[in-house]
Amino acid sequence: MSVGRTQTRLSWGPLRAWSMMLAVVLSLVGPSIAAQESGSVSGVVVDEQGNAIANARVVVTGTNLAVLTDAEGNFRIVGLPATGSVSLRVTILGFRPTTETVDVGSGGIRLEMARAAISLDAYVVTGTAAGVQEARAIGNTVSTVNAEQLLEVAPIPDVSNIINGRAPGVVVTQGTGQVGSGPNIRIRGASSFSLGNQPLIYVDGVRINNTMGAGINVQGFGSGIVNRLNDIQPKDIESIEIIKGPAAATLYGTEASNGVIQIITKRGRAGQTDFTLSTKQGTRDFANAGGRIQKNWAFEPGTTTPFEQDLFALEKERGNPPIFTTGYQSAYGGSIRGGTEAARYFAAIDVDLDNGVEPDNYMDRYSVRANVTADPSPAFDLTASVGYQQGKIGLACEAGCGGRMWATVFANAWLRDDPDFRGFRSYPPEIITEAVDFWQDISRLQYSFQMNHRPVNWLSHRLTVGQDRVEENNVELWERLDPDKFGTYFGSFVLNGFKFRQDREINTWTFDYSATFSAAVSRSIKSSTTVGAQYYKLYEERTAAEGQEFPAPGLNVIDAAATTFGGDWNVENNTLGFFLQEQISFNDRIFLTGAIRADDNSAFGRDFNVVVYPKVSATWVISEERFWGVNWIDALKLRAAYGQSGQQPGYFDAVRTYSPVTAGNGSPAATPDVFGNDSLGPEVGAEFEVGFETGLFNSRIGLDVTYYNTRTRDAILSQPLAPSAGFPGNVFVNAGTIANSGFEVQMSAIAVQQQNFGLDLTLNLATNSNKIVDLGGVDQGQGFLAAGSQMRVPGLPVATYFDQHTLSATLNGTGYDARAENAMCDAGDPNGHQRVSEDGTQTPTQGGGSEIPCDGAPRLALGNSIPTFEGSFGATITFLKNFRLYALLDWKQGHTKFDNNARARCQVFWQCRENFFPEEYDPAYVAEFQSPNTLRSFVFSNASYAKIRELSLTWTLPPRVIPGTKRASITIAGRNLVTFSGYSGLDPEAEFLEFGFSVLEQDNLPNLRSFVANIVITF
């Protein structure tokens, strides 16, 4: 890729258009403020036990007037006619809606709500891009996580773990146990070969950077482990809403086909000001490290007697520090929340200081957030939100660069008695810790402004603008080392030191406007027409510099190095989209919705025109029909939706580029680099979704069932270029088709609700069937992809592992010198392949009853790296009024993982037990690990697992315990407590993130067990 290329193809003058929209908004605000009326009503909203319900939405039916209850459940609505009566409707997630007619001027109204496992009248943000909408009108499933409520019982450390296990179809894979690391998030399978499968992330309506795998990549090899999603402070979040595919994401347009995650931060509440202080203290550890890391073998010096080396026991005997320590984690925070009916505010400051189990792994994070909402009139409100995070993450040298895991997992037992190496691979643990330093500095600012205006009953419109600015500094530093101390371990290049630094700045701007026109066609038929436009701009700039060989100790700036290199890179990408949506409702029970969106993006090929995405959906709240007579089913919504969305090509995939070179006479010149494709367009996902939501037995049980079928067409593939093109390599083309389908079930139950005891249960289940439909005639060859293990074959999943499979061999000799001979492999089917089993994991049996010599055997499908079944089960037990016990179990099944630890130990370093006692094993297995890295089906292991993810006990202290407090709680919690799995390696979740689809474990630190105590006090 050439340096400094910028592609900006859009030229619509978006700022001028947005200025005109803003002028229209401001012109309408003035008359609305002057039109206030004098009548009001006020009261309180409580539950069945008389406890106040905060944040409930109280609406005057038939109008746009609505307020939220304060922390004590109080509300007051102004701007009503001076006399008469109004109907008030109260809704909030987790409760059944209630409606009551009251006289204007009334005060002290008491509105009581009953708990419910499902609510069709709750409002959600991400139902459409047009804004807040009742759940009953949305034709697709939206998963909502009440983060504020969840964190009261489970002090979850980051945003990704708030999502994990709480929304069916959302697979969160935590790649490593390092502090500060982030996950790979995939919704409803994999729908792209090369563009990534991460969902879009929004905070308060503004798109934010969702980079996965940020952080240092060691000299072009290694695995960045930081996910930008986890920069957001969990304690600042009120709720998270997830939409899962093109049928739901049509109005989000290009880039939304992988789903959308909308984070809504906490808002102020009218009423008394609340001051909250919190602290968390705890530990994390590599549980049973000595028992989980397999021990390596060698011969006793001067003999042929094998021995098994236990490094952990040896280091303890030698009096050395533990290889992996216990990391301490702490957090401190404070917030203020309150306001009046006219202005409400929330502000918080938090500090997180976390240490990992390796000395050079840590995270220091400082975050500040402030949200202010102003209501100058009942018809107008303005919310301003700003969040800032700053911190430093120390990244322990891991997969791809060595480190403690490398030195220990691949321990060299032959050097057990060597005083320098002590049986470790390459170096003992303290050496790499002292020699190298990796870190990432992060500074991040997000802000947004949202205006909602309801000048008349038939018109409401909204404008959202904001920015996400990320400044990221990644550094790898090897200072000049003392040759007397380090010369045994490193060559002269490393001893003389070097430094690599990459600074990255990413700016994402959001401009989003929509207007909704409502009309009553008749008493029973209502129309809602929404028009809108969005403009998104991304600008990314990178600057990289490297210095090699420092002339003296103590020098560590790049300019001080003997040889220096540098360069910069930047890109600008723009998206402009317009949409039109029409929704017709019949008796507020049947909703028909149709929409269309048109997008252009600067990454599209020059000859590619605007892409158009259609959407249709229907819902029917059948339980409210007069003929409905099933008493134990008190709420039932049927729904169906079809929609399209897309994903843009890579920034420069469509552009013809040249790389700079030096000509023979020393002058600068250019040489062909990337051929480009002027016709290249987006990948387009089309999805059909059908399902129902129901409440049973007075909504004590809620059930949401969905079937989805998604097909991605025009998937981008790399096609070899003919030599006559004059350009090297390949060209990107729209060619492939990928299909995903499955079922999702989300169930919640208020199983027991008594004065002194309660039991709430949740169950999430999801399946996914993924396959390549076709490759559009683009030859993918027979070579391996990614980490050398996958091929693309129509009819099989996108991420299918392939290799030869040994069926038989003969073993000659005994002990270390025994050799497997005459290896025979599975001949496969007549086409040279064998289909993977239905669950994606079963090792194939003999194909067609034939064996052939392995030298000529085909590579067979050995498993799929994408889980085919996942789920979670949660339970909350309330007892003695003030105690809550919470537990979450989650699992993933039906996928295979590449255990590269086994390959390296047994096939490269030759230190497994099997190498020393081959006669105890199947000769076919022995033939594989004795092969020169050609036969290796033994490294593909079933990675299904179940994990006790969270377990906590919370005591809500009675007010008398700490006088003057409104609420205080103490929580004791554990995470990643027990894993149940038959996986051959260390951790079925550990993942070498750089390789994407190839779920490869290679000396990754497994997910760590942690225990914390969390104290929260509100005054």
Side-chain angles (χ1 to χ4, degrees):
M1 182 177 293
S2 57
V3 175
R5 293 177 294 170
T6 301
Q7 183 192 5
T8 308
R9 192 169 57 83
L10 304 184
S11 57
W12 310 290
L15 292 179
R16 181 179 178 185
W18 287 111
S19 299
M20 294 174 63
M21 292 180 185
L22 182 59
V24 171
V25 171
L26 294 177
S27 68
L28 292 170
V29 169
S32 69
I33 297 177
Q36 298 182 47
E37 298 186 73
S38 58
S40 67
V41 295
S42 61
V44 64
V45 178
V46 297
D47 65 14
E48 295 163 296
Q49 280 76 43
N51 301 311
I53 300 177
N55 232 33
R57 184 182 180 90
V58 185
V59 179
V60 179
T61 58
T63 74
N64 287 327
L65 297 177
V67 297
L68 298 178
T69 58
D70 65 17
E72 286 74 41
N74 298 313
F75 69 90
R76 184 170 182 265
I77 301 176
V78 298
L80 300 172
T83 60
S85 62
V86 293
S87 176
L88 301 181
R89 183 173 178 82
V90 189
T91 58
I92 186 173
L93 189 67
F95 290 85
R96 301 182 69 180
T98 185
T99 302
E100 187 169 329
T101 300
V102 300
D103 293 330
V104 175
S106 299
I109 301 167
R110 181 182 174 90
L111 302 175
E112 185 175 297
M113 305 187 74
R115 288 189 63 204
I118 191 171
S119 176
L120 301 181
D121 298 284
Y123 284 82
V124 295
V125 173
T126 54
T128 69
V132 175
Q133 191 173 18
E134 278 189 301
R136 64 171 51 228
I138 301 173
N140 50 267
T141 183
V142 178
S143 293
T144 301
V145 181
N146 189 327
E148 185 175 12
Q149 189 178 82
L150 177 63
L151 264 67
E152 291 180 358
V153 295
I156 297 171
D158 50 54
V159 177
S160 60
N161 278 295
I162 294 177
I163 300 169
N164 186 37
R166 295 178 178 90
V170 181
V171 175
V172 179
T173 304
Q174 194 77 24
T176 171
Q178 284 207 45
V179 169
S181 66
N184 183 1
I185 302 175
R186 194 175 288 147
I187 298 177
R188 290 183 174 175
S191 58
S192 178
F193 293 115
S194 56
L195 295 182
N197 289 274
Q198 292 285 98
L200 288 179
I201 311 293
Y202 285 77
V203 174
D204 295 332
V206 171
R207 188 179 295 186
I208 69 168
N209 179 265
N210 64 340
T211 300
M212 179 201 74
I216 196 71
N217 287 292
V218 184
Q219 300 296 295
F221 182 72
S223 180
I225 64 169
V226 179
N227 189 312
R228 293 273 69 96
L229 173 64
N230 284 343
D231 292 337
I232 309 301
Q233 172 61 243
K235 289 188 288 188
D236 293 343
I237 299 173
E238 186 170 285
S239 64
I240 299 176
E241 296 175 356
I242 305 169
I243 58 177
K244 302 176 184 176
T250 296
L251 296 189
Y252 289 88
T254 298
E255 302 176 84
S257 59
N258 294 322
V260 177
I261 296 176
Q262 178 80 263
I263 297 172
I264 299 99
T265 61
K266 291 179 180 177
R267 296 289 187 268
R269 295 172 182 163
Q272 294 182 357
T273 300
D274 289 342
F275 298 89
T276 299
L277 299 176
S278 65
T279 183
K280 179 179 71 176
Q281 307 293 320
T283 62
R284 55 171 53 88
D285 68 304
F286 185 165
N288 188 28
R292 292 165 63 187
I293 295 180
Q294 295 186 8
K295 299 171 179 61
N296 293 335
W297 287 73
F299 287 135
E300 292 286 357
T303 74
T304 57
T305 303
F307 75 89
E308 181 184 58
Q309 175 180 252
D310 187 339
L311 266 180
F312 291 85
L314 284 172
E315 287 294 282
K316 185 175 181 179
E317 289 174 8
R318 293 163 178 159
N320 292 326
I323 301 172
F324 300 102
T325 60
T326 297
Y328 192 79
Q329 52 181 317
S330 60
Y332 310 88
S335 68
I336 181 172
R337 193 176 198 176
T340 65
E341 295 168 2
R344 299 174 297 282
Y345 53 85
F346 169 81
I349 182 169
D350 289 278
V351 178
D352 294 278
L353 305 172
D354 286 352
N355 293 301
V357 297
E358 300 173 83
D360 41 4
N361 178 217
Y362 57 88
M363 181 187 73
D364 298 339
R365 179 177 64 189
Y366 307 87
S367 59
V368 178
R369 179 162 295 278
N371 293 338
V372 177
T373 300
D375 294 306
S377 81
F380 177 72
D381 62 78
L382 171 66
T383 298
S385 175
V386 60
Y388 178 74
Q389 299 88 35
Q390 181 176 332
K392 182 174 184 178
I393 302 174
L395 302 172
C397 186
E398 202 181 56
C401 72
R404 288 180 180 242
M405 285 296 292
W406 162 272
T408 306
V409 171
F410 303 134
N412 191 345
W414 301 93
L415 298 178
R416 178 191 62 182
D417 299 322
D418 186 292
D420 290 325
F421 292 90
R422 305 200 307 269
F424 289 93
R425 171 71 55 183
S426 303
Y427 30 68
E430 70 275 6
I431 292 296
I432 191 67
T433 298
E434 185 175 351
V436 66
D437 196 5
F438 297 169
W439 73 88
Q440 179 186 92
D441 292 313
I442 180 71
S443 176
R444 185 170 194 174
L445 173 70
Q446 314 99 40
Y447 64 83
S448 66
F449 300 94
Q450 185 175 99
M451 293 187 293
N452 291 282
H453 186 218
R454 303 163 293 276
V456 289
N457 286 343
W458 52 268
L459 172 63
S460 64
H461 55 162
R462 181 204 66 196
L463 175 66
T464 301
V465 298
Q467 180 187 6
D468 176 38
R469 180 186 181 93
V470 178
E471 295 181 8
E472 181 184 290
N473 302 321
N474 300 290
V475 181
E476 174 190 1
L477 173 63
W478 296 70
E479 298 203 47
R480 186 180 177 95
L481 304 175
D482 181 355
D484 293 335
K485 181 176 182 180
F486 296 95
T488 305
Y489 313 107
F490 305 117
S492 60
F493 172 75
V494 174
L495 287 175
N496 290 333
F498 64 90
K499 182 178 183 179
F500 174 77
R501 173 169 178 157
Q502 182 184 82
D503 294 347
R504 194 164 75 130
E505 182 178 314
I506 309 170
N507 286 280
T508 306
W509 288 271
T510 297
F511 300 85
D512 182 351
Y513 174 80
S514 65
T516 299
F517 304 87
S518 303
V521 180
S522 68
R523 273 186 80 179
S524 59
I525 302 175
K526 295 179 181 178
S527 168
S528 177
T529 304
T530 302
V531 296
Q534 286 97 32
Y535 172 65
Y536 302 108
K537 177 179 178 179
L538 178 144
Y539 180 79
E540 179 177 349
E541 187 172 59
R542 299 181 194 174
T543 303
E546 181 177 344
Q548 298 179 359
E549 302 194 9
F550 296 113
L555 297 176
N556 57 21
V557 297
I558 291 175
D559 279 350
T563 306
T564 60
F565 311 88
D568 64 356
W569 177 96
N570 60 75
V571 64
E572 180 178 326
N573 181 259
N574 300 275
T575 301
L576 180 63
F578 299 90
F579 71 86
L580 170 66
Q581 176 175 284
E582 174 65 26
Q583 184 174 89
I584 303 293
S585 68
F586 301 88
N587 295 316
D588 203 35
R589 294 194 289 272
I590 298 176
F591 299 85
L592 302 177
T593 303
I596 190 168
R597 179 183 172 107
D599 269 7
D600 199 1
N601 182 278
S602 57
F604 294 169
R606 192 177 303 274
D607 297 336
F608 186 88
N609 293 321
V610 170
V611 62
V612 176
Y613 304 115
K615 168 188 173 178
V616 292
S617 70
T619 70
W620 184 14
V621 185
I622 192 173
S623 58
E624 294 182 3
E625 297 290 355
R626 292 181 179 179
F627 60 76
W628 188 256
V630 186
N631 293 332
W632 55 277
I633 302 179
D634 49 284
L636 176 61
K637 182 183 85 171
L638 308 179
R639 52 179 169 75
Y642 171 83
Q644 295 182 8
S645 186
Q647 186 169 195
Q648 69 186 47
Y651 300 137
F652 302 119
D653 289 354
V655 182
R656 180 169 297 185
T657 60
Y658 298 82
S659 291
V661 295
T662 302
N665 60 2
S667 62
T671 187
D673 182 17
V674 177
F675 186 71
N677 180 356
D678 287 341
S679 300
L680 191 66
E683 299 182 340
V684 178
E687 182 178 66
F688 171 71
E689 179 184 302
V690 62
F692 66 87
E693 297 161 39
T694 185
L696 311 175
F697 307 108
N698 291 323
S699 290
R700 292 174 69 92
I701 298 176
L703 186 63
D704 186 329
V705 178
T706 302
Y707 168 77
Y708 67 91
N709 192 305
T710 308
R711 182 162 291 213
T712 302
R713 59 176 172 83
D714 295 332
I716 294 175
L717 289 166
S718 179
Q719 184 176 49
L721 277 171
S724 59
F727 278 73
N730 300 338
V731 61
F732 290 105
V733 295
N734 295 110
T737 304
I738 302 170
N740 286 277
S741 62
F743 287 90
E744 297 168 352
V745 177
Q746 187 166 34
M747 186 184 75
S748 56
I750 306 171
V752 180
Q753 186 178 17
Q754 298 178 354
Q755 188 69 24
N756 292 316
F757 184 81
L759 173 62
D760 294 348
L761 303 173
T762 61
L763 177 67
N764 293 313
L765 303 171
T767 66
N768 175 258
S769 175
N770 172 270
K771 71 174 181 179
I772 300 171
V773 177
D774 68 68
L775 297 170
V778 177
D779 182 14
Q780 295 295 287
Q782 295 297 307
F784 286 144
L785 305 171
S789 56
Q790 293 170 321
M791 291 193 298
R792 294 170 180 157
V793 177
L796 293 180
V798 169
T800 300
Y801 292 110
F802 278 82
D803 219 322
Q804 296 167 307
H805 178 56
T806 310
L807 295 178
S808 66
T810 57
L811 189 65
N812 290 327
T814 60
Y816 187 78
D817 296 323
R819 291 294 177 266
E821 300 175 350
N822 304 317
M824 302 294 287
C825 283
D826 194 331
D829 64 23
N831 295 320
H833 300 291
Q834 180 164 325
R835 293 187 180 277
V836 71
S837 60
E838 288 298 320
D839 68 357
T841 63
Q842 182 179 325
T843 300
T845 55
Q846 183 173 327
S850 60
E851 297 181 1
I852 60 174
C854 289
D855 287 346
R859 295 163 176 159
L860 306 180
L862 300 182
N864 168 30
S865 70
I866 302 172
T868 58
F869 177 63
E870 56 93 13
S872 67
F873 175 76
T876 302
I877 300 174
T878 304
F879 59 98
L880 300 179
K881 290 187 178 180
N882 295 323
F883 290 89
R884 280 183 292 180
L885 180 66
Y886 173 76
L888 178 69
L889 171 75
D890 66 75
W891 63 87
K892 296 176 178 65
Q893 295 180 348
H895 63 298
T896 295
K897 189 171 176 180
F898 190 124
D899 184 2
N900 203 46
N901 288 340
R903 185 190 70 84
R905 290 178 58 250
C906 300
Q907 209 169 44
V908 178
F909 299 130
W910 203 260
Q911 290 198 115
C912 290
R913 191 180 193 283
E914 294 91 325
N915 299 114
F916 292 82
F917 302 96
E919 66 274 11
E920 297 180 8
Y921 300 88
D922 184 343
Y925 174 43
V926 175
E928 290 204 340
F929 67 72
Q930 286 188 348
S931 74
N933 198 29
T934 55
L935 303 176
R936 53 180 188 176
S937 65
F938 73 96
V939 305
F940 301 101
S941 178
N942 187 330
S944 299
Y945 71 89
K947 180 167 290 192
I948 300 178
R949 183 73 63 181
E950 296 163 6
L951 184 64
S952 67
L953 176 64
T954 300
W955 177 31
T956 302
L957 281 65
R960 65 178 182 276
V961 176
I962 307 179
T965 61
K966 295 179 181 178
R967 189 177 187 280
S969 66
I970 300 174
T971 300
I972 306 296
R975 294 185 55 78
N976 299 325
L977 298 179
V978 182
T979 301
F980 307 94
S981 178
Y983 172 61
S984 64
L986 273 172
D987 185 356
E989 289 189 285
E991 183 175 316
F992 202 11
L993 289 176
E994 182 179 285
F995 291 127
F997 283 129
S998 185
V999 185
L1000 173 79
E1001 181 180 24
Q1002 178 184 303
D1003 57 287
N1004 298 95
L1005 190 70
N1007 282 285
L1008 303 177
R1009 180 179 63 181
S1010 67
F1011 298 95
V1012 299
N1014 193 57
I1015 301 175
V1016 181
I1017 301 174
T1018 300
F1019 299 91

